[in-house]
Amino acid sequence: MTLKSGLIGCAALCGLAMTTQAFAACEKPLLYGDFVRSVCKEWPAYPGQTITATSQFESGFSASDSGPDGKYDLDLAVLSAGNAKPLATYHQSAAFVSDAFRLDDLEIDTARYKLTPDLRAFGLRVNFKGSSGPNPMDESWLSLYVKEGNTLRPVLERLVMYVYSGEWDTRCAGERANTVRTIEIGKTSSHGYADLIVKSVTTSMVGEGEGDACEVKSSTGKPVLTTLRYDGKRYGLPDGFKGVQ
């Protein structure tokens, strides 16, 4: 283990211990930096409960001299106000890879993901940013989790909700496009869970010329609706809908 990775490991473990109470109160986490992303949010559907998410440099993995490139674990928890002991947790080792396609941020999504009359999911959005100006690549992934006893279970994994990509000269000439997706709860269900209706809207941009003669034309396609159905374990995703690394 390198000195850098040893210090990171110590900081992560010590920091996590200190942030448990802060998370319970949904205060700003004490542990946040190049090697850690953490966030907490109160869950409006369940007053008094808080959702926390932390993604930190994989334990035992040596950081490169160039920066925080490598694998990141994921820890989720649902906490009760005033009680540091989690009601439910989830851990995934090596959940993400951060390199030229960089892990940028985490967001907790508490929209009304009502999958059954008595069950509501929450979402985790993971944002990535590419490092190339001429070949931009940004994405945001959404995963949904449900509480089952003292565990959290993923029922939807890595649905790409936003993607921006292209090839251009960083000034004008070239092509770029972005796709934005939204989710609605369907009126039909599969294996007891509501179907999810995903609306995708893509906007394309084409630039030509240089300087004052630069002309950019944009066009937005018609919305495309896609139905996601639960197979008894999770929602299946069509080709091109799932974030990969």
Side-chain angles (χ1 to χ4, degrees):
M1 178 183 292
T2 66
L3 175 61
K4 181 184 286 186
S5 63
L7 291 173
I8 293 167
C10 177
L13 291 175
C14 297
L16 283 175
M18 292 188 296
T19 56
T20 304
Q21 192 61 46
F23 271 141
C26 208
E27 299 169 357
K28 184 178 180 179
L30 301 176
L31 184 62
Y32 197 96
D34 287 343
F35 298 90
V36 180
R37 296 289 182 268
S38 57
V39 66
C40 70
K41 185 176 183 180
E42 295 179 358
W43 198 351
Y46 301 97
Q49 294 187 16
T50 296
I51 303 165
T52 73
T54 301
S55 185
Q56 67 182 52
F57 212 70
E58 185 181 30
S59 176
F61 194 90
S62 297
S64 68
D65 291 335
S66 62
D69 292 348
K71 299 179 181 179
Y72 284 73
D73 296 343
L74 174 65
D75 285 283
L76 299 174
V78 174
L79 303 170
S80 178
N83 187 350
K85 184 179 180 180
L87 299 174
T89 60
Y90 174 79
H91 173 80
Q92 183 180 1
S93 299
F96 313 116
V97 176
S98 184
D99 44 32
F101 191 47
R102 186 183 78 253
L103 173 63
D104 186 61
D105 204 3
L106 305 177
E107 300 177 50
I108 294 171
D109 184 347
T110 55
R112 295 184 178 182
Y113 298 115
K114 194 171 184 180
L115 305 184
T116 77
D118 303 314
L119 182 66
R120 190 177 297 225
F122 71 86
L124 177 68
R125 292 177 185 254
V126 185
N127 303 319
F128 291 85
K129 286 189 175 295
S131 59
S132 173
N135 299 101
M137 183 65 175
D138 298 347
E139 285 189 0
S140 178
W141 304 347
L142 173 68
S143 296
L144 296 181
Y145 300 84
V146 296
K147 182 177 176 293
E148 295 182 343
N150 61 357
T151 64
L152 298 171
R153 181 172 68 89
V155 294
L156 174 70
E157 294 185 276
R158 299 187 175 192
L159 170 62
V160 177
M161 297 295 288
Y162 172 82
V163 58
Y164 169 68
S165 62
E167 182 175 357
W168 69 316
D169 63 4
T170 72
R171 296 179 298 278
C172 179
E175 299 179 359
R176 289 160 289 159
N178 69 69
T179 297
V180 178
R181 294 190 171 109
T182 56
I183 293 179
E184 292 186 4
I185 305 300
K187 296 181 180 180
T188 57
S189 64
S190 302
H191 294 275
Y193 277 33
D195 296 336
L196 304 180
I197 311 301
V198 178
K199 181 170 72 173
S200 306
V201 178
T202 298
T203 299
S204 301
M205 294 156 283
V206 177
E208 296 179 345
E210 296 181 358
D212 293 339
C214 174
E215 183 178 0
V216 179
K217 297 180 180 179
S218 64
S219 61
T220 300
K222 293 182 179 180
V224 177
L225 301 182
T226 305
T227 300
L228 306 183
R229 294 181 172 85
Y230 186 70
D231 65 7
K233 294 183 178 180
R234 65 196 65 212
Y235 288 90
L237 294 177
D239 291 342
F241 276 60
K242 188 171 184 177
V244 296
Q245 289 185 317

